[in-house]
Amino acid sequence: MSVFYQNMNIRGCTGIAKPGLLLMQLDLPTFRLGELHMIPTLTLPLPCYHQKKTGLKLRCRHSVAERSFSSSRAVSTQKPYTNQVKKKEEGASSLYMRPSLLDMKKQKIENRARVYEFLRGIGVVPDELDGLELPVTVDVMRERVDFLHKLGLTIEDINNYPLVLGCSVKKNMIPVLDYLGKLGVRKSSITDFLRRYPQVLHASVVVDLQPVVKYLQGMDIKQADVPRVLERYPEVLGFKLEGTMSTSVAYLVGIGVGRREIGGVLTKYPEILGMRVGRVIKPFVEYFESLGIPKLAVARLIEKRPHILGFELEEKVKPNVGYLLDFNVRERSLAAVVAQYPEIIGIDLKSKLHTQQSSFNSILDLGPEDFGQIIERMPQAISLSKTAIVKHVDFLKLCGFSLQQIKMMVVGYPQLLAMNLDIMKLNFDYFQLEMSRPLDDLVDFPAFFTYGLESTIKPRHQQVAKKKLKCSLSWLLNCSDEKFERRMSYESIDLEEMEPQATFDMKSLMGSRSDESDYEIDDYDDEDM
């Protein structure tokens, strides 16, 4: 008995009904990480006389995982001790978790600060990069910047779109560039490509790029032309297939653009794919109609020169039409002027009109009305150089025409000023030596210089001379071969058969296409565009 109670602490004793006994509360060991504590767990009846004779105290030892824990501590009541254990457990958890998270956050801030310091050191402004996932080391960021430099992008380019620094070289940039290269996009154009649309480096080849390329091919754009389309308009890679692209194509087909011509139209001017029908294309078509150009004729113009849809309607087209009226182009002639030379509504027209009118006045002494007629009959005259005008006028002077006659010829048929001088000389020599006609015949029909000598002028003249018919140059030349053959069956010339000098015919623009099954890409590069 004495062995069992040895070294136990007796917390207290309580008298009970039976004399000579007491209740003793013993401290038994309980374990906690790092140390051993005592909690009251047992109450034993003991004789009262042992209270005075024996001081009980419990000392326990226990070994856990080769560590020795010991306790010799005065016991306390159970409830306060349990609270103390809970507080210490919370304290241990706090010491284990919170410092680690704080350290990680602090480290991340320090890493970003070093990356920002590097970027500022090379001239990049990182203000827009907050919140963007960036490399944690300067070395990785330096690798990205160096790779962008190899692609031809400058610090200025990066500052224009700093989010490109969030693209991984291996995961983003290289797969996209490899795909573009396989399509046929030229390395020489890749720098300009990325300057115009750097967002492509964020794209997924499978999810974003391949569907757009497949759509373009579905629009009858030849596979060989896809790289050209992408180089000219890389922004197309960011469009949604069911959005602007499909509606713009559908509208063009609806107004009369041939379905089999769409591939050629989009290859020449892929920017159409990004145009909104309601804001851009439809108002443009309706304005052309208001000038007197039928919708089908507008469709044909778009097929041949789709870039006209890129002319700003309010800022450029409408003001240019107003300038034409200011320079004595009659309102009834506006449709013919625009249909013949649609580029005239997209250039810096006002200054050109002033310059060209001054040139014609200095060379031919033309009045304002004469200049307006020249523009009506050949709107391309707006782009003729003064040197070309002088050369043609000098040639006509050498042929024996007076300045007044030249003036009449130029106003009546300004196409003379754009003719090849060698061809004009051959035609004039034949006219003078073989046809033996007066110069006034050429004044009345200056278009003579535009006909082929061997194909038209010689054979027709010979037939008329053989029949000894007297006719004007217009009756001789201004008709089709079939009609000329019918005329040769006449015994005399009917004056009603005389046709006016050829002018622009809007119906010719709406005629059937020569070949709708294919298209050719014109590498036009108008300096006035």
Side-chain angles (χ1 to χ4, degrees):
M1 183 69 177
S2 61
V3 174
F4 179 80
Y5 295 120
Q6 187 177 358
N7 294 329
M8 284 190 177
N9 287 331
I10 300 176
R11 295 289 305 278
C13 58
T14 305
I16 55 177
K18 188 175 180 178
L21 295 178
L22 62 81
L23 294 179
M24 182 178 69
Q25 191 175 39
L26 303 179
D27 282 342
L28 296 181
T30 185
F31 294 102
R32 182 171 179 260
L33 184 63
E35 55 183 334
L36 179 68
H37 290 279
M38 305 296 297
I39 60 172
T41 58
L42 178 64
T43 302
L44 296 175
L46 295 175
C48 289
Y49 64 88
H50 283 287
Q51 181 178 7
K52 294 181 180 180
K53 296 181 178 181
T54 307
L56 296 178
K57 185 176 182 181
L58 178 65
R59 180 177 297 273
C60 298
R61 281 191 170 273
H62 187 71
S63 176
V64 178
E66 298 180 359
R67 292 186 181 182
S68 179
F69 298 87
S70 64
S71 175
S72 176
R73 183 176 299 181
V75 295
S76 62
T77 61
Q78 181 175 1
K79 187 171 182 180
Y81 186 81
T82 303
N83 291 338
Q84 183 180 5
V85 170
K86 290 182 179 179
K87 289 181 180 180
K88 288 188 177 182
E89 288 178 348
E90 292 174 359
S93 176
S94 174
L95 290 173
Y96 179 76
M97 296 297 293
R98 290 184 183 177
S100 177
L101 292 175
L102 290 174
D103 287 344
M104 291 174 64
K105 185 175 181 180
K106 182 179 179 182
Q107 185 65 38
K108 186 175 181 180
I109 294 174
E110 291 175 353
N111 290 339
R112 182 171 285 263
R114 283 192 289 269
V115 171
Y116 276 18
E117 183 180 1
F118 163 73
L119 292 175
R120 291 189 182 97
I122 62 175
V124 175
V125 181
D127 297 346
E128 297 182 26
L129 300 178
D130 292 342
L132 183 69
E133 190 68 27
L134 294 178
V136 296
T137 67
V138 172
D139 289 340
V140 176
M141 179 57 76
R142 183 182 289 109
E143 179 188 4
R144 291 188 185 182
V145 174
D146 291 344
F147 190 81
L148 293 172
H149 284 333
K150 290 178 181 178
L151 295 176
L153 299 181
T154 64
I155 294 298
E156 182 181 358
D157 296 327
I158 296 175
N159 280 327
N160 288 335
Y161 187 73
L163 298 182
V164 73
L165 295 174
C167 297
S168 167
V169 173
K170 296 180 179 179
K171 294 181 180 180
N172 300 111
M173 300 186 192
I174 291 179
V176 168
L177 294 172
D178 284 347
Y179 178 68
L180 294 176
K182 291 177 181 178
L183 287 176
V185 176
R186 297 168 297 174
K187 289 184 179 180
S188 59
S189 68
I190 200 66
T191 300
D192 184 62
F193 189 106
L194 295 176
R195 282 174 179 160
R196 292 184 56 185
Y197 190 61
Q199 295 90 333
V200 71
L201 294 177
H202 293 285
S204 163
V205 172
V206 176
V207 176
D208 302 317
L209 305 186
Q210 288 181 350
V212 174
V213 171
K214 186 176 180 180
Y215 178 86
L216 294 177
Q217 293 173 337
M219 289 291 102
D220 292 335
I221 295 178
K222 298 175 182 177
Q223 186 173 355
D225 291 327
V226 169
R228 172 178 177 153
V229 170
L230 297 180
E231 288 176 7
R232 175 160 184 160
Y233 192 52
E235 293 88 343
V236 72
L237 291 172
F239 293 149
K240 294 182 178 179
L241 304 183
E242 68 279 5
T244 303
M245 291 200 294
S246 58
T247 55
S248 59
V249 170
Y251 180 81
L252 292 179
V253 173
I255 67 171
V257 174
R259 182 62 185 84
R260 299 171 68 182
E261 306 296 318
I262 287 294
V265 169
L266 297 180
T267 302
K268 292 176 183 176
Y269 196 67
E271 288 86 344
I272 289 174
L273 293 170
M275 293 180 176
R276 295 187 177 276
V277 172
R279 295 182 183 178
V280 181
I281 303 178
K282 186 178 179 182
F284 188 92
V285 172
E286 290 176 346
Y287 183 71
F288 267 46
E289 288 186 277
S290 72
L291 296 177
I293 305 175
K295 184 176 291 185
L296 184 57
V298 178
R300 295 292 187 269
L301 288 174
I302 293 173
E303 288 177 4
K304 295 179 179 180
R305 290 287 185 265
H307 62 276
I308 64 176
L309 289 174
F311 298 157
E312 294 290 339
L313 183 60
E314 299 296 333
E315 291 77 9
K316 185 68 69 174
V317 176
K318 291 182 178 180
N320 279 354
V321 170
Y323 298 144
L324 290 172
L325 295 172
D326 292 341
F327 280 81
N328 297 289
V329 173
R330 293 169 295 183
E331 187 171 354
R332 68 186 185 190
S333 300
L334 286 175
V337 169
V338 174
Q340 287 183 80
Y341 188 51
E343 285 81 2
I344 200 170
I345 58 174
I347 61 178
D348 185 10
L349 186 57
K350 186 176 182 179
S351 61
K352 279 189 168 293
L353 286 168
H354 278 293
T355 301
Q356 207 68 335
Q357 186 180 53
S358 176
S359 297
F360 276 102
N361 286 342
S362 64
I363 298 170
L364 293 172
D365 192 26
L366 296 181
E369 292 77 13
D370 295 330
F371 180 70
Q373 290 185 51
I374 289 176
I375 300 302
E376 287 181 8
R377 293 188 172 102
M378 193 184 78
Q380 294 88 344
I382 197 68
S383 298
L384 287 175
S385 67
K386 186 173 182 178
T387 302
I389 299 173
V390 169
K391 285 183 178 180
H392 286 78
V393 170
D394 288 344
F395 167 75
L396 294 174
K397 286 179 179 179
L398 290 175
C399 292
F401 296 101
S402 67
L403 185 61
Q404 184 62 29
Q405 288 176 318
I406 296 172
K407 177 179 176 180
M408 292 175 61
M409 294 170 72
V410 169
V411 173
Y413 199 77
Q415 287 81 357
L416 283 177
L417 300 176
M419 285 292 298
N420 184 295
L421 287 174
D422 293 333
I423 293 176
M424 292 180 69
K425 186 177 186 306
L426 290 174
N427 285 9
F428 181 75
D429 290 343
Y430 185 82
F431 172 84
Q432 192 175 44
L433 299 175
E434 299 296 331
M435 301 178 73
S436 301
R437 286 174 172 264
L439 291 179
D440 287 339
D441 286 359
L442 290 177
V443 175
D444 294 336
F445 191 71
F448 170 85
F449 289 101
T450 66
Y451 288 90
L453 179 60
E454 298 296 334
S455 63
T456 305
I457 297 176
K458 274 187 180 183
R460 291 192 183 186
H461 169 69
Q462 290 169 357
Q463 291 187 56
V464 170
K466 185 176 181 180
K467 294 193 68 171
K468 297 181 180 180
L469 292 176
K470 296 292 184 180
C471 65
S472 68
L473 291 176
S474 178
W475 189 93
L476 177 69
L477 301 172
N478 190 21
C479 63
S480 65
D481 290 338
E482 293 78 9
K483 190 166 188 177
F484 179 76
E485 292 300 326
R486 291 198 302 269
R487 286 178 175 179
M488 287 299 94
S489 65
Y490 301 160
E491 294 296 330
S492 62
I493 297 174
D494 188 349
L495 292 179
E496 293 182 359
E497 291 277 350
M498 299 293 290
E499 296 182 1
Q501 194 162 307
T503 56
F504 179 77
D505 185 4
M506 191 70 69
K507 292 181 181 179
S508 64
L509 187 62
M510 296 183 288
S512 60
R513 305 177 186 89
S514 58
D515 183 5
E516 293 188 356
S517 64
D518 202 357
Y519 59 86
E520 295 181 358
I521 304 302
D522 298 324
D523 288 320
Y524 54 84
D525 187 14
D526 298 326
E527 61 180 4
D528 297 321
M529 292 301 297

